[in-house]
Amino acid sequence: MKWFEYGNNLIGPREVSFSVSSIIVGVGILTMPRLIAESTESSDGWISIAIAGAAAVLFGWILAKFCVLLQDRGFYAVAAELVSAPAAAAITVCISLYFMLYCAYEVRAIANISKQYIFDRTPVEYIALAFLLVVAYAVSGSREGIIRLNMLFLPLVIVIALAVLIFSIGIFDYNDLKPFFITDWHGITKGALQTMSSMLGFEAILFYSTMMEKPKKAPQAVVVGLLIPVLFYLVIYMICVGVFTHQALMEITYPVIELAKEAQIPGEFFERFESLFFTIWIMTIFNTACMAFDVTVYALGSILKRVGKMTWILILCPTIYLACMLPRNLNEFEAFGMYMTYFGAVAAVLVPCLLYALAKLRGVKP
């Protein structure tokens, strides 16, 4: 009989799947339907989501196969063996910079949305600072605790999201999805690139895989973790088009929150269901920001092992805060997110995939 099942620092495939899903399902989904609608016609945005999802699953599977080679040595050590220590350090610093910006993006997003829907009289600067301090407190604890927190929060988030979708069926109009297949490939490609910004985050497996009890199961776990948000995005996008129409969807800043506002609760039990939805959604955004911050610390700590975890947190906290305050308006904030996505796609996805190809050519064994 096991009295304390989690009394070790190892994680299994289920924790990996939940962590991958949690870090992807952040603030991106709240704006994703509008961004796709701006690039595509009618309800054809589902094709962009499917393409971006297939690309994410493919690259996630390749990175997870690379993780099988990493074992407990870690990304930096194996990269140094492949391309020399200075080059590996440069790559690892770029990945840590990407995750630091990822955390800053999440913090600023939660501050913007909280001000619009909950704290309308509180400055964005104070909301962002309070949220970042809570995130830093969580990161200062155990890494296993952050990962296992996903096991608690993600089911709640999925349940509340399903409730929004079910209660929206009454105002869903199938005719708003027509006509089909009228968007050209330029629009579909642009929509897929927009969707990719909501699909990234699975690269964290490059560092968390060292904690896996059975690294050989990483590819399967990552694919499962990626399929959950892909299916989730497809359903939410189609419901948003059917409820708001394609033309109106382009004008709504946060369509998913507005969808929660329009949801018809039987008996009018909740007057402001979007507040409950957003409060629950903060859980997954908190997890996303925590893991992005933690991976930044993890990556930098793998290069400079003598620098302690708390030292990195104290250095990174003001840096993240300053970075999240750089965008002055919504347009600059969206541009910040797009540039961060391009940077992350190259530094944390393409470069590690090339390293994996190099490792296979050299016959590197686990």
Side-chain angles (χ1 to χ4, degrees), residues 14-25:
R14 188 170 55 178
E15 282 89 347
V16 171
S17 297
F18 273 62
S19 298
V20 170
S21 295
S22 293
I23 198 170
I24 291 175
V25 182

Side-chain angles (χ1 to χ4, degrees), residues 56-71:
V57 170
L58 174 63
F59 285 112
W61 181 79
I62 294 173
L63 293 187
K65 294 290 286 185
F66 189 24
C67 292
V68 176
L69 299 180
L70 302 181
Q71 297 284 345

Side-chain angles (χ1 to χ4, degrees), residues 20-240:
V20 170
S21 295
S22 293
I23 198 170
I24 291 175
V25 182
V27 296
I29 192 174
L30 302 180
T31 57
M32 183 264 296
R34 171 175 58 85
L35 297 176
I36 296 177
E38 290 174 350
S39 307
T40 59
E41 302 290 338
S42 188
S43 61
D44 290 345
W46 71 268
I47 305 174
S48 299
I49 298 175
I51 292 173
V57 170
L58 174 63
F59 285 112
W61 181 79
I62 294 173
L63 293 187
K65 294 290 286 185
F66 189 24
C67 292
V68 176
L69 299 180
L70 302 181
Q71 297 284 345
D72 58 351
R73 290 183 294 172
F75 176 79
Y76 171 69
V78 174
E81 183 181 325
L82 292 171
V83 294
S84 79
I91 295 170
T92 308
V93 168
C94 286
I95 295 176
S96 63
L97 177 61
Y98 157 64
F99 274 104
M100 188 196 74
L101 295 175
Y102 195 113
C103 180
Y105 178 79
E106 297 290 323
V107 172
R108 179 58 186 271
I110 199 75
N112 287 343
I113 303 172
S114 296
K115 180 174 177 57
Q116 180 169 337
Y117 287 95
I118 301 178
F119 309 114
D120 57 333
R121 299 174 62 183
T122 306
V124 168
E125 291 81 359
Y126 293 149
I127 302 174
L129 179 61
F131 186 74
L132 179 59
L133 290 177
V134 176
V135 170
Y137 177 74
V139 173
S140 66
S142 72
R143 184 159 289 132
E144 303 79 27
I146 295 175
I147 293 176
R148 286 169 183 150
L149 206 59
N150 297 315
M151 306 288 290
L152 175 65
F153 285 172
L154 187 63
L156 291 175
V157 171
I158 291 176
V159 167
I160 198 71
L162 288 176
V164 170
L165 297 177
I166 292 172
F167 293 139
S168 301
I169 291 177
I171 53 177
F172 177 83
D173 188 354
Y174 172 77
N175 293 319
D176 290 332
L177 303 182
K178 300 177 182 177
F180 302 112
F181 305 110
I182 61 173
T183 308
D184 58 23
W185 281 105
H186 177 72
I188 293 293
T189 304
K190 189 176 179 182
L193 291 175
Q194 294 280 9
T195 310
M196 280 304 297
S197 62
S198 303
M199 294 284 185
L200 291 181
F202 59 85
E203 316 87 72
I205 189 64
L206 287 171
F207 298 90
Y208 285 147
S209 65
T210 57
M211 302 167 60
M212 285 194 72
E213 190 174 9
K214 298 177 180 177
K216 290 185 178 180
K217 293 188 177 181
Q220 181 183 358
V222 171
V223 169
V224 172
L226 280 164
L227 286 177
I228 293 173
V230 170
L231 295 175
F232 206 42
Y233 287 5
L234 281 170
V235 175
I236 284 183
Y237 174 75
M238 298 302 281
I239 293 290
C240 283

Side-chain angles (χ1 to χ4, degrees), residues 137-344:
Y137 177 74
V139 173
S140 66
S142 72
R143 184 159 289 132
E144 303 79 27
I146 295 175
I147 293 176
R148 286 169 183 150
L149 206 59
N150 297 315
M151 306 288 290
L152 175 65
F153 285 172
L154 187 63
L156 291 175
V157 171
I158 291 176
V159 167
I160 198 71
L162 288 176
V164 170
L165 297 177
I166 292 172
F167 293 139
S168 301
I169 291 177
I171 53 177
F172 177 83
D173 188 354
Y174 172 77
N175 293 319
D176 290 332
L177 303 182
K178 300 177 182 177
F180 302 112
F181 305 110
I182 61 173
T183 308
D184 58 23
W185 281 105
H186 177 72
I188 293 293
T189 304
K190 189 176 179 182
L193 291 175
Q194 294 280 9
T195 310
M196 280 304 297
S197 62
S198 303
M199 294 284 185
L200 291 181
F202 59 85
E203 316 87 72
I205 189 64
L206 287 171
F207 298 90
Y208 285 147
S209 65
T210 57
M211 302 167 60
M212 285 194 72
E213 190 174 9
K214 298 177 180 177
K216 290 185 178 180
K217 293 188 177 181
Q220 181 183 358
V222 171
V223 169
V224 172
L226 280 164
L227 286 177
I228 293 173
V230 170
L231 295 175
F232 206 42
Y233 287 5
L234 281 170
V235 175
I236 284 183
Y237 174 75
M238 298 302 281
I239 293 290
C240 283
V241 175
V243 170
F244 298 119
T245 74
H246 176 264
Q247 289 75 17
L249 191 58
M250 291 188 290
E251 306 297 329
I252 303 174
T253 306
Y254 302 110
V256 179
I257 298 179
E258 294 299 326
L259 186 66
K261 186 185 293 185
E262 297 295 329
Q264 297 179 342
I265 312 298
E268 298 182 354
F269 188 73
F270 288 107
E271 291 185 356
R272 294 194 61 186
F273 187 67
E274 79 278 7
S275 299
L276 174 64
F277 169 80
F278 182 60
T279 302
I280 299 295
W281 205 264
I282 288 176
M283 293 179 178
T284 188
I285 298 175
F286 171 75
N287 275 0
T288 301
C290 282
M291 285 190 284
F293 197 153
D294 186 57
V295 170
T296 307
V297 173
Y298 202 155
L300 293 174
S302 66
I303 303 173
L304 301 174
K305 296 184 182 298
R306 293 185 178 180
V307 181
K309 183 177 181 179
M310 284 305 300
T311 303
W312 283 121
I313 292 174
L314 293 175
I315 294 173
L316 289 170
C317 246
T319 310
I320 292 173
Y321 182 71
L322 291 175
C324 80
M325 286 294 111
L326 283 178
R328 292 171 294 182
N329 51 50
L330 185 60
N331 291 332
E332 290 188 4
F333 173 68
E334 291 184 350
F336 175 81
M338 190 53 63
Y339 288 128
M340 180 201 70
T341 300
Y342 293 150
F343 179 58

